[in-house]
Amino acid sequence: MSTAIAAAPVLVHQAIREHRSGRIDAASALYARALQVDPTDADALHLLGALHIQRGDAVAAVPYAAKAVLVEPMAHLAYNNLGLILKGAGQPGAAARCYRQATTIAPDFADGHSNLGVVVKIDGQMALAVKHFRRAIEIDPSLGEAWNNLGNALQELGETEEAIEAYLTAADCLPDNDTVHYNVGLLLIGVGCRDDALVHLRRALELDPDREGAAHLVAALEGKTTVTAPRSYVRQLFDFYAARFDAHLVGDLRYQAHRGVVDLVNVVAGSDRRFALGYDLGCGTGLAGALVRERTGVLIGVDLSERMLLQAETKRVYDTLICADIDAMLDTYEAAPDLVLASDVFIYIGELDGTIERIARRMAPGGMFSFSIEFAAEGVPWFLRSSGRYAHGDRYVTRCLTENGLRLLATRPIIVRHERGEPLDGAVYLAVKPMDDGTPV
């Protein structure tokens, strides 16, 4: 071995010391010098690739990670590194192949099993994902990321109690990880453990003061009322919920708001009326849209959650699907609908004035607007419930409609859904935008 080549490992060891001490720039320079001395040094290639991933620069990491695999094809860490890059580049299938190779080379590589679980979960292979997460935990019970990943998978499978246990263990392993505390807090609200939920959500907010979802839920649990739910919170909530939304909401919670909203249209408008253009605001997976499809010429679905829209797309209910905030969409699209539906939408908006003003301004004369709410006590305009959803008072809703030129045609009470076996009271409303001569329809 030449003197020059022998110097490369020395430089790598120096770089590792700098890397561990958090002196990233110095470490990067030393790894680069080692590769100038020996371009095939597997450790320098692998670790410089890892450093670029740590910096969030996956593109810069690619040549080092790929070459590390070629130089040392039995290095499981090199395959894991390449898998991380490919996953970050939106190629979960290719990442899965790298992680499988890593776990084949090193069957007891816990991180590799956890990472493989993440990408097969993306591919919809939930049972296989759970298997890999459990294998990672079996190898290393202190691996907090694997416990959190297991909690995510169990939650999507509807195994709430097991998911909570997984998240709680993750929180023990990763006490300074705001995402873990947020995840367990969110689930604890769902099972009625509000005091415990508040502990974890406050911790999440302490660790990341900019975490809007945690701030929203802390306010809800502390009895504070806010103007609206953060859009980032709503989007994340329904992205996560999308795959099992219909089965859980309609099946387990006996959700009926979508039927109530459409039934009121049917009763008042009659079975013969057709609508030229319908907006289904907060359309979700298309539950309400499917009920009005046959009587609507063009039907547009709008939702914040891209994953909910992917579910809706499979039903072929809508002519157009738009992933956007409702207010932004109403400010942007100029077409005037003669039917607007908003089923289970206003439960994530406290102050309704601005949204109803936009809807009224956009609607065609003679158009109908049907929506649902959860009921607040009489005299309360709106308040934020401990669930993180808003309830509205009848007097406030009616005033919002009237002040924006809409005429209330009908309202009826409904059971919106069941929560922990108890019915949740709400109502559906139907309003019309009068014709230019003042007639209602």
Side-chain angles (χ1 to χ4, degrees), residues 112-162:
H113 284 285
S114 184
N115 291 337
L116 180 53
V118 170
V119 290
V120 298
K121 178 174 170 286
I122 292 171
D123 195 40
Q125 301 179 69
M126 203 65 67
L128 183 58
V130 169
K131 177 182 176 181
H132 282 289
F133 296 143
R134 292 196 187 281
R135 177 62 181 139
I137 290 163
E138 179 185 345
I139 296 165
D140 182 2
S142 69
L143 190 59
E145 291 84 356
W147 282 108
N148 186 63
N149 291 338
L150 178 61
N152 291 340
L154 291 170
Q155 184 179 355
E156 289 201 37
L157 288 169
E159 304 292 342
T160 303
E161 296 295 337
E162 286 189 67

Side-chain angles (χ1 to χ4, degrees), residues 1-17 31 34-35 37-38 41 43-44:
M1 182 181 294
S2 71
T3 304
I5 297 297
V10 175
L11 291 168
V12 170
H13 285 303
Q14 291 174 354
I16 290 172
R17 285 197 297 270
Y31 289 135
L35 289 172
V37 173
D38 180 4
D41 187 288
D43 289 334

Side-chain angles (χ1 to χ4, degrees), residues 126-210:
M126 203 65 67
L128 183 58
V130 169
K131 177 182 176 181
H132 282 289
F133 296 143
R134 292 196 187 281
R135 177 62 181 139
I137 290 163
E138 179 185 345
I139 296 165
D140 182 2
S142 69
L143 190 59
E145 291 84 356
W147 282 108
N148 186 63
N149 291 338
L150 178 61
N152 291 340
L154 291 170
Q155 184 179 355
E156 289 201 37
L157 288 169
E159 304 292 342
T160 303
E161 296 295 337
E162 286 189 67
I164 289 173
E165 290 301 319
Y167 283 141
L168 287 172
T169 306
D172 288 339
C173 297
L174 300 169
D176 295 331
N177 186 300
D178 63 289
T179 297
V180 171
H181 288 286
Y182 179 76
N183 287 343
V184 70
L186 195 61
L187 272 196
L188 287 168
I189 290 175
V191 297
C193 298
R194 293 170 183 169
D195 291 342
D196 291 336
L198 189 54
V199 169
H200 287 283
L201 290 166
R202 282 173 173 162
R203 179 59 177 153
L205 194 58
E206 178 185 344
L207 291 165
D208 181 5
D210 294 327

Side-chain angles (χ1 to χ4, degrees), residues 24-299:
I24 302 299
D25 290 341
S28 178
L30 285 165
Y31 289 135
R33 281 178 58 195
L35 289 172
Q36 287 176 342
V37 173
D38 180 4
T40 65
D41 187 288
D43 289 334
L45 289 166
H46 161 64
L47 292 169
L48 187 52
L51 184 147
H52 283 300
I53 293 172
Q54 184 180 344
R55 281 176 163 169
D57 191 351
V59 173
V62 170
Y64 301 108
K67 191 171 181 180
V69 168
L70 294 174
V71 167
E72 196 169 358
M74 293 305 290
H76 64 285
L77 292 176
Y79 277 102
N80 187 66
N81 232 22
L82 188 55
L84 291 171
I85 294 168
L86 292 166
K87 177 183 175 291
Q91 299 181 51
R97 290 191 289 275
C98 289
Y99 295 139
R100 285 194 185 95
Q101 186 64 22
T103 54
T104 298
I105 295 167
D108 291 338
F109 179 35
D111 282 323
H113 284 285
S114 184
N115 291 337
L116 180 53
V118 170
V119 290
V120 298
K121 178 174 170 286
I122 292 171
D123 195 40
Q125 301 179 69
M126 203 65 67
L128 183 58
V130 169
K131 177 182 176 181
H132 282 289
F133 296 143
R134 292 196 187 281
R135 177 62 181 139
I137 290 163
E138 179 185 345
I139 296 165
D140 182 2
S142 69
L143 190 59
E145 291 84 356
W147 282 108
N148 186 63
N149 291 338
L150 178 61
N152 291 340
L154 291 170
Q155 184 179 355
E156 289 201 37
L157 288 169
E159 304 292 342
T160 303
E161 296 295 337
E162 286 189 67
I164 289 173
E165 290 301 319
Y167 283 141
L168 287 172
T169 306
D172 288 339
C173 297
L174 300 169
D176 295 331
N177 186 300
D178 63 289
T179 297
V180 171
H181 288 286
Y182 179 76
N183 287 343
V184 70
L186 195 61
L187 272 196
L188 287 168
I189 290 175
V191 297
C193 298
R194 293 170 183 169
D195 291 342
D196 291 336
L198 189 54
V199 169
H200 287 283
L201 290 166
R202 282 173 173 162
R203 179 59 177 153
L205 194 58
E206 178 185 344
L207 291 165
D208 181 5
D210 294 327
R211 185 142 203 156
E212 293 181 321
H216 174 69
L217 293 172
V218 166
L221 291 167
E222 291 179 341
K224 299 174 183 176
T225 291
T226 56
V227 172
T228 191
R231 296 299 176 255
S232 60
Y233 161 75
V234 178
R235 181 183 297 110
Q236 182 185 16
L237 181 68
F238 284 98
D239 274 347
F240 200 84
Y241 194 22
R244 63 187 187 93
F245 179 82
D246 287 6
H248 181 245
L249 194 64
V250 178
D252 298 340
L253 302 183
R254 291 178 278 172
Y255 169 75
Q256 290 297 318
H258 64 300
R259 293 193 180 278
V261 163
V262 174
D263 285 348
L264 204 54
V265 174
N266 293 339
V267 168
V268 175
S271 59
D272 294 334
R273 177 166 178 180
R274 286 186 56 80
F275 298 94
L277 173 62
Y279 282 177
D280 186 1
L281 304 178
C283 66
T285 62
L287 293 174
L291 300 176
V292 297
R293 172 68 275 183
E294 291 187 0
R295 64 190 300 171
T296 309
V298 175
L299 185 59

